[in-house]
Amino acid sequence: MLENTWSFCFADLVFLSADLVILLCRPGLPFCRPGHSALQTWSSILQTCCSGLSLYRSVLLLWSAALQTYPTTLVFHTTDLPCRSGLLFCRPALLSCSADLACHSGLPLYKPALSLCCVTKTSLCWQPEIICLSHFNCTIFLFFLHNSIVEYEKTELVIIAEAQGAVVGVNYGMLGDNLPSPAQVVSLFESRGIGRLRLFHPDAAALAALRGSGIEVVLGTLNEELPGLAADPSAAEKWVAANVAPFAGSVRFRYINAGNEVVPGDTAGNVLPAMRNLAAAVRAAGLRIPVTTSVATTALGVSYPPSQGAFSEAAAGVMTPIAAFLRSTSAPLLVNVYPYFSYAGNPGEVALDYALFRAAGVVVRDGALGYDNLFDAMVDSVHAALEKAGAAEVEVVVSETGWPSGGGGLGATVENAAAYVNNLVAHVRKGGGTPRKPGKATETYLFAMFNENQKPAGTERHFGLFHPNMTEIYHVNFQP
């Protein structure tokens, strides 16, 4: 039925009946056909599977998340699938799952009588022709697509499922005069299986290159745009109309972040009004994209021990209402977390192995919780600060973290950078979360894709994973 060039085991492709198709892929085997994108690969598979079926009410896809996948983000695409009620997924071996469910059909979700299936978090997505699943920590996923009792309506369906490695993205900075073209950069992301990308500001060429890639994008505003976006709702509408709406059908926007490291500061008061106006503009455009902001850990006045984390007096007046807004919109707070600077600024008290995920055991005991790495401790100090601000439900996304490979700073070596980044990726991919917030992987974005020669001299120019000619500075194991 399928050509033997497909790189997975065909014995696991089974037709149960004309109404049901099961695709079961074994762990340890790649999903992509050589020379084809994931979208082309799975589109061909599903179209081949469903060809000749006059009626296919249900399509059941079952596979293991612990796969050697390439790329990490797996994209399934088919047309004319009569899926009307939405979709349901669960962990077959467990009693519950925590994940995001999105459906644009507008009809109630169909829930079969499966005692072991429980959806604990649901959101509706009204972006035309897109159904997106994200935030999976399950070992095995079950997707159940079913039409409702209403008549069939042909629809285009895109399902995007992420393996564990997809919780790690990379910042795409552009402060260099020798960087590759955006098209080359997107190809590099795809070739390394990097499923998420952060842009610090809208760049038309980069957004155009991202069309159809399946890469999720965190899109930032320039800090200097915040006063205008805060003062005038129409400015936010124009920003969304120019930078988001034209790409929304083919670029997967994960978040929009209003400014970077503006709080605390003289212009911090612009952040929340800008967030509100941007969120309203996104809704008015018929899109569903969370709006947030990114802050540095310098917004904390207390960070040690982690349970005592609290926003500083200078930041609290702004951060408390921002946290309330994020809670009300179910958006995360983006935080830039750099254990390197904590180590380099205080090497007498911060052990290098603690910063590099190499400690032999618990280094910091905080009540009943123990920390064997500085990254988790820093993230949990932000969790504690959010709790004290009345927003314990707000998730923390690490929008920047990294380690310099040069520039003359203490510990800024290729060996240390490789150790930090690879140990971090492995740590996040395990999905264990932090001691204070266990059970869900910390979504994390490495800083940065390239060394950028227009940043300030010193270590700032040496946070890249790649040289501008796209050769590795050190290898990162993005694949599980």
Side-chain angles (χ1 to χ4, degrees):
M1 184 176 299
L2 295 177
E3 300 176 14
N4 57 14
T5 51
W6 292 100
S7 52
F8 62 92
C9 181
F10 312 112
D12 292 338
L13 180 64
V14 181
F15 288 91
L16 293 188
S17 71
D19 292 342
L20 185 64
V21 178
I22 287 184
L23 180 61
L24 176 60
C25 295
R26 294 177 180 172
L29 296 175
F31 274 118
C32 284
R33 186 180 184 184
H36 290 68
S37 68
L39 181 63
Q40 293 169 324
T41 297
W42 285 103
S43 176
S44 299
I45 291 175
L46 288 180
Q47 289 171 1
T48 302
C49 291
C50 296
S51 64
L53 297 182
S54 59
L55 176 65
Y56 39 97
R57 290 181 181 156
S58 306
V59 177
L60 187 63
L61 302 174
L62 175 63
W63 70 93
S64 169
L67 297 167
Q68 299 297 323
T69 55
Y70 175 83
T72 303
T73 300
L74 310 177
V75 180
F76 301 80
H77 179 114
T78 188
T79 56
D80 297 340
L81 181 66
C83 172
R84 293 286 295 151
S85 297
L87 75 171
L88 183 68
F89 53 91
C90 69
R91 285 186 270 195
L94 299 176
L95 295 179
S96 65
C97 72
S98 177
D100 287 343
L101 177 62
C103 175
H104 78 273
S105 69
L107 295 174
L109 295 176
Y110 176 85
K111 185 174 182 180
L114 298 177
S115 61
L116 52 75
C117 188
C118 176
V119 176
T120 59
K121 183 177 179 183
T122 302
S123 61
L124 293 180
C125 174
W126 294 93
Q127 288 182 246
E129 301 184 341
I130 294 179
I131 293 178
C132 172
L133 313 179
S134 60
H135 299 314
F136 296 115
N137 292 318
C138 310
T139 299
I140 295 179
F141 308 130
L142 177 71
F143 296 90
F144 192 59
L145 312 181
H146 199 285
N147 67 293
S148 70
I149 60 174
V150 302
E151 294 181 358
Y152 290 143
E153 177 178 305
K154 290 186 176 182
T155 182
E156 179 175 294
L157 174 67
V158 179
I159 304 172
I160 302 178
E162 299 152 357
Q164 284 292 344
V167 296
V168 179
V170 180
N171 285 262
Y172 174 18
M174 298 182 176
L175 292 178
D177 58 12
N178 56 353
L179 299 177
S181 70
Q184 291 174 303
V185 174
V186 171
S187 294
L188 183 58
F189 269 75
E190 291 176 316
S191 71
R192 299 306 172 99
I194 306 171
R196 291 177 180 164
L197 175 154
R198 182 185 178 210
L199 281 174
F200 289 90
H201 61 87
D203 182 89
L207 291 170
L210 285 160
R211 289 185 186 274
S213 67
I215 295 172
E216 291 186 286
V217 178
V218 180
L219 182 63
T221 72
L222 293 168
N223 288 350
E224 52 264 35
E225 293 178 299
L226 290 178
L229 293 170
D232 186 1
S234 67
E237 293 170 1
K238 291 175 182 177
W239 192 93
V240 171
N243 302 310
V244 180
F247 304 97
S250 55
V251 174
R252 299 183 62 207
F253 291 104
R254 188 163 182 81
Y255 314 116
I256 293 172
N257 69 280
N260 184 51
E261 298 188 352
V262 179
V263 181
D266 294 339
T267 61
N270 293 316
V271 175
L272 182 56
M275 291 169 61
R276 287 176 172 154
N277 287 342
L278 285 168
V282 167
R283 290 193 301 270
L287 304 174
R288 188 178 179 86
I289 306 169
V291 175
T292 181
T293 189
S294 57
V295 300
T297 52
T298 52
L300 299 177
V302 179
S303 60
Y304 182 87
S307 62
Q308 298 303 306
F311 293 115
S312 68
E313 184 177 346
V318 175
M319 287 305 304
T320 299
I322 286 177
F325 174 82
L326 296 175
R327 184 185 65 240
S328 69
T329 59
S330 299
L333 176 66
L334 274 55
V335 183
N336 300 336
V337 177
Y338 284 97
Y340 169 75
F341 291 116
S342 296
Y343 161 73
N346 197 2
E349 295 189 15
V350 179
L352 180 61
D353 283 346
Y354 181 56
L356 295 179
F357 297 87
R358 296 192 308 207
V362 171
V363 174
V364 171
R365 178 64 64 182
D366 186 8
L369 303 179
Y371 293 86
D372 61 9
N373 69 85
L374 181 55
F375 176 85
D376 281 352
M378 295 177 74
V379 171
D380 271 354
S381 67
V382 180
H383 284 138
L386 286 168
E387 292 170 12
K388 292 178 178 65
E393 309 91 336
V394 174
E395 295 183 9
V396 172
V397 169
V398 176
S399 44
E400 293 180 29
T401 191
W403 196 282
S405 60
L410 179 67
T413 67
V414 171
E415 293 76 18
N416 286 344
Y420 176 78
V421 170
N422 281 287
N423 290 339
L424 169 68
V425 170
H427 175 71
V428 170
R429 187 186 291 135
K430 290 177 182 176
T434 66
R436 194 175 189 88
K437 295 284 186 176
K440 182 174 182 180
T442 303
E443 183 178 338
T444 301
Y445 295 80
L446 300 175
F447 186 86
M449 198 65 172
F450 301 102
N451 281 346
E452 300 169 58
N453 65 3
Q454 292 179 330
K455 293 182 75 68
T459 57
E460 288 286 329
R461 295 187 180 183
H462 295 272
F463 274 85
L465 309 180
F466 295 89
H467 295 287
N469 65 3
M470 298 194 295
T471 59
E472 291 181 339
I473 296 172
Y474 52 88
H475 182 69
V476 180
N477 296 313
F478 285 105
Q479 303 298 325

